[in-house]
Amino acid sequence: MRIFALNASRDFGGKLAFALGVPIDEHEERDFEDGEHKARPLVSVRGEDVYVLQQLHGSARESVNDKLCKLLFFRHVARGHRVPRLRLPVLARIGEVRNDSRHA
């Protein structure tokens, strides 16, 4: 099993990996001047189950779209390495989850 925590989720990923007793695997993320992104694993993921953590809430530094693009780029590269199972857990900020229950 390989666990990657993209930069926006590094703190959470470290805590999760510690609780599971596994290390966070190394990856590369780069932002280019023209707005393009690069994200890729720096360890072999061929034949491994891969979990990629990425918080998707927007911030002043990165928009939701930027974070989602990085996650999808990383997914595409991992799929190219013949990963049998690739999991992308969605990390939402609890304070921003909307309650849609109806009151009678």
Side-chain angles (χ1 to χ4, degrees):
M1 174 172 60
R2 298 284 189 183
I3 297 178
F4 295 92
L6 300 185
N7 292 345
S9 303
R10 182 63 79 175
D11 293 338
F12 175 76
K15 292 175 186 174
L16 179 65
F18 180 77
L20 294 173
V22 297
I24 290 285
D25 289 299
E26 294 296 318
H27 74 285
E28 175 188 21
E29 276 185 70
R30 292 182 61 196
D31 295 321
F32 297 98
E33 292 177 11
D34 61 356
E36 303 252 344
H37 307 290
K38 177 182 182 181
R40 68 183 180 106
L42 294 177
V43 296
S44 175
V45 294
R46 187 176 303 266
E48 299 275 350
D49 291 341
V50 174
Y51 291 82
V52 184
L53 305 174
Q54 174 73 316
Q55 295 176 339
L56 295 179
H57 65 276
S59 67
R61 186 170 171 261
E62 285 185 303
S63 71
V64 173
N65 291 338
D66 289 337
K67 290 178 179 183
L68 182 59
C69 283
K70 289 178 183 180
L71 178 62
L72 294 176
F73 292 155
F74 196 94
R75 177 194 178 275
H76 178 75
V77 171
R79 279 285 181 212
H81 289 279
R82 297 184 183 163
V83 171
R85 284 184 293 271
L86 180 63
R87 306 289 185 237
L88 306 171
V90 175
L91 306 176
R93 290 177 64 178
I94 299 302
E96 295 178 3
V97 175
R98 194 173 130 201
N99 184 356
D100 285 335
S101 60
R102 296 181 184 196
H103 300 285

